[in-house]
Amino acid sequence: MNTSKYFIQALLVVVFSTLFFIVFKEFLPKKIFPDSSASSKNRVVDSLLLEAIAKDGSIKEKDTLSDKIIDYKVVDGIQFPDETFEEYKGNQYLVTFFEKLYQLETTKQGNVRIAYFGDSMTDGDLIVKDFRTYLQERFGGKGVGFVNITSESASSRSSITHEFSGNWNAQSFLKVKSPSRAFGVNGHVFFANDTSNIAWVKFKASQTKFANELPRPTLFYGSAKNYSGRVFCAVGDTIGKKLTPSAILNTLTLSEGNLKNLKVNFSKADSIPFYGINFDDGKGVHVDNFSNRGNSGLPLGTFNKATMNAFHAKLDYDLIVLQYGANILNYGSLDYSWYERRMTKIVAHLKACFPGVSILIISTADKSSKYDLEMKTDAAVIPLNTAQKRYAIKSESSFVNLYMLMGGDGSMVKWVEVVPSKANKDYTHFNHRGAKEVGNIIFTQVNQGYEMYKKLRKKRKTTLSDQKDPTDLLKDSIHEE
């Protein structure tokens, strides 16, 4: 009897609670549930982002770009058509990059290198792997490029199998402001804690197209007073090689051939800063994935110019891709002018670090949050997208509007709910199917810009050939006399 009484009381509580919610729903916040991605244990936020929000978040700027026509200046005789703010792609700012692709395509010699910086959207080589594959299929090239000594996403990376010992000391520009040695181009520096046990790294080629071998592995490391360090490479026979950390950046070729497996043991190498191992065949296109979970892009401003100049001298980058957004959304404001200002300065710093490089900005993807019990495009997506386009224009960078190209408003919901799905249930990150499509979206815009460049180049060449050399004009004048 008492049980029935309690059951009825509980039922009445549920009924009245439901009625109360319905009646007062209009007075409740529109966004009533936190994002699952925001509470993820894998979400890390760099301290520079929090500092920037606290310092610059309230500063307002007058809009002077939205109604502006972008009128491009001629570069090497090439001028892309003017663009409005809405349609902005900025292919004019990729002219030097396109010319490198053209020389590669026509001569079949040399190489083109791309540094792809991103956050968790490119974790595990997602998006970048497919972008790399499309480029290598079009222009040639083999290898996955530059790989860190250790990586938090090593187990999820499908383009290479990567293992390492547990006695590495890693410092990241997301967590350390003053590293023991300058950060590498990957935003990390690694030290072998090998006083008691050998530190090691191991790689195995995958079945990924154009990455089924480890071509010409080359170790990158910095300067130190320790000249006793050696590495032992297991490539059939074990081969010992001496480390000479004399310059700001040093390289050591571990094998001249193309390997399937590689294990490197580090002996007496403590205090020597290591950065990673590069795998490329020296021909075609190579794309390095420098993803860092929680990165807003602001830590790129901590790069040491001299060290980056040294990396640039070794790797010779032609294009830098910046894909950020997931970690900048949802910080209590829809005004991202502070981010626009900061990232404009970041791009200027990157151009000083890597002279002559072209920059490509990838906008935030769509992200869905729950409003009135329904998943919709987060209110912060469009303001952030606009700020990213504005800093691309201000910094003379190219721009891929990923939000619009994936479908615009409400597209993330469709990507999650389509069968088979193309994005995860956090309504933020793509799965491998979606990542492949995004890689294709980015490649397609770059390739379309390149094809237009070739037409403009041909037109320029024709125009120049129509103009006679002054010497020829003089000869014609003498002949007429």
Side-chain angles (χ1 to χ4, degrees):
M1 190 69 180
N2 288 338
T3 303
S4 299
K5 180 180 178 181
Y6 290 136
F7 175 76
I8 293 171
Q9 289 177 344
L11 182 61
L12 288 172
V13 169
V14 172
V15 170
F16 280 114
S17 297
T18 303
L19 290 172
F20 179 85
F21 176 78
I22 293 172
V23 171
F24 290 97
K25 179 182 177 183
E26 291 299 318
F27 302 99
L28 294 173
K30 293 289 183 183
K31 190 173 179 179
I32 61 175
F33 296 112
D35 302 323
S36 59
S37 60
S39 59
S40 169
K41 66 180 180 180
N42 291 324
R43 179 159 179 162
V44 181
V45 179
D46 66 72
S47 60
L48 292 176
L49 170 62
L50 301 179
E51 290 177 9
I53 294 171
K55 186 175 181 180
D56 296 349
S58 60
I59 301 175
K60 308 294 182 182
E61 278 189 3
K62 185 178 179 180
D63 182 9
T64 58
L65 286 178
S66 296
D67 298 326
K68 182 180 178 181
I69 298 295
I70 295 90
D71 182 12
Y72 296 116
K73 296 178 182 178
V74 178
V75 177
D76 296 333
I78 304 295
Q79 184 177 24
F80 278 82
D82 297 345
E83 292 180 309
T84 65
F85 181 83
E86 285 301 317
E87 67 188 5
Y88 180 74
K89 292 188 178 74
N91 283 317
Q92 181 70 39
Y93 302 124
L94 298 183
V95 165
T96 55
F97 170 66
F98 288 151
E99 178 62 21
K100 286 293 294 286
L101 287 179
Y102 180 80
Q103 294 300 327
L104 178 60
E105 182 181 28
T106 54
T107 67
K108 308 300 180 185
Q109 295 180 353
N111 64 85
V112 170
R113 195 171 199 102
I114 300 171
Y116 201 122
F117 293 95
D119 50 27
S120 58
M121 301 296 281
T122 57
D123 198 44
D125 216 18
L126 286 174
I127 299 175
V128 183
K129 179 185 76 171
D130 299 294
F131 179 64
R132 180 190 303 116
T133 299
Y134 290 127
L135 283 166
Q136 291 180 335
E137 196 167 46
R138 174 81 167 77
F139 298 100
K142 293 182 179 179
V144 297
F146 198 98
V147 183
N148 289 2
I149 294 294
T150 75
S151 170
E152 61 185 354
S153 61
S155 61
S156 63
R157 183 166 182 169
S158 62
S159 55
I160 190 171
T161 300
H162 180 196
E163 300 176 76
F164 42 86
S165 60
N167 54 337
W168 285 97
N169 176 19
Q171 296 182 7
S172 164
F173 62 2
L174 266 70
K175 301 177 181 179
V176 179
K177 290 186 177 180
S178 301
S180 305
R181 294 289 192 280
F183 295 120
V185 66
N186 50 2
H188 290 78
V189 59
F190 304 90
F191 296 92
N193 183 13
D194 62 353
T195 53
S196 56
N197 296 298
I198 292 292
W200 55 268
V201 293
K202 185 161 60 173
F203 303 94
K204 180 180 178 181
S206 70
Q207 296 303 310
T208 301
K209 196 174 184 179
F210 309 117
N212 56 359
E213 290 183 319
L214 306 174
R216 202 170 184 268
T218 302
L219 176 68
F220 282 66
Y221 61 103
S223 63
K225 296 180 180 179
N226 177 8
Y227 280 74
S228 300
R230 294 176 66 83
V231 294
F232 294 88
C233 309
V235 289
D237 296 331
T238 301
I239 303 172
K241 294 178 178 285
K242 181 177 175 60
L243 295 169
T244 309
S246 55
I248 189 172
L249 181 65
N250 309 276
T251 58
L252 177 64
T253 302
L254 303 177
S255 174
E256 292 290 350
N258 297 340
L259 310 176
K260 293 291 186 181
N261 300 276
L262 173 68
K263 183 177 181 182
V264 185
N265 293 327
F266 295 75
S267 176
K268 299 180 180 179
D270 59 298
S271 79
I272 299 177
F274 294 98
Y275 297 113
I277 297 179
N278 179 51
F279 302 98
D280 75 62
D281 64 347
K283 298 175 289 186
V285 178
H286 303 102
V287 184
D288 301 331
N289 182 1
F290 300 132
S291 64
N292 291 274
R293 295 175 187 173
N295 196 355
S296 65
L298 298 181
L300 295 172
T302 64
F303 276 158
N304 177 272
K305 181 181 174 182
T307 304
M308 292 306 106
N309 288 168
F311 269 98
H312 192 38
K314 298 281 188 183
L315 295 170
D316 191 20
Y317 287 108
D318 301 292
L319 177 68
I320 288 178
V321 181
L322 304 179
Q323 183 175 354
Y324 297 107
N327 300 290
I328 301 106
L329 295 164
N330 303 126
Y331 281 93
S333 173
L334 300 182
D335 182 1
Y336 286 95
S337 57
W338 61 271
Y339 186 67
E340 174 191 329
R341 289 190 297 273
R342 292 290 181 111
M343 288 304 293
T344 301
K345 294 178 180 178
I346 294 296
V347 173
H349 181 62
L350 290 175
K351 288 182 177 180
C353 289
F354 305 93
V357 74
S358 299
I359 308 288
L360 172 61
I361 312 298
I362 311 293
S363 84
T364 179
D366 188 32
K367 168 188 166 65
S368 295
S369 296
K370 190 165 286 187
Y371 296 91
D372 291 336
L373 302 180
E374 182 181 356
M375 298 302 294
K376 299 179 182 179
T377 290
D378 193 284
V381 169
I382 292 178
L384 175 58
N385 178 284
T386 301
Q388 290 174 317
K389 186 188 296 186
R390 289 171 61 85
Y391 93 71
I393 294 172
K394 284 185 174 181
S395 63
E396 299 189 342
S397 303
S398 183
F399 182 72
V400 172
N401 195 333
L402 180 56
Y403 166 69
M404 291 302 297
L405 290 174
M406 68 179 286
D409 184 55
S411 55
M412 183 56 78
V413 173
K414 296 175 182 177
W415 282 52
V416 171
E417 295 179 354
V418 70
V419 180
S421 68
K422 297 187 288 186
N424 299 328
K425 289 291 186 180
D426 65 358
Y427 291 85
T428 301
H429 296 87
F430 302 107
N431 59 25
H432 68 279
R433 284 181 293 272
K436 184 174 183 178
E437 186 166 333
V438 171
N440 186 49
I441 286 172
I442 298 167
F443 167 76
T444 297
Q445 180 169 314
V446 171
N447 193 53
Q448 287 173 346
Y450 172 63
E451 292 299 329
M452 184 180 292
Y453 169 78
K454 288 198 296 183
K455 291 178 181 178
L456 293 170
R457 193 182 192 280
K458 185 177 180 180
K459 183 179 179 181
R460 177 200 68 176
K461 185 177 180 182
T462 303
T463 303
L464 291 175
S465 65
D466 289 342
Q467 299 175 1
K468 286 193 174 183
D469 187 87
T471 305
D472 294 332
L473 292 173
L474 178 60
K475 288 180 180 177
D476 289 345
S477 176
I478 294 172
H479 178 72
E480 288 174 2
E481 291 177 359

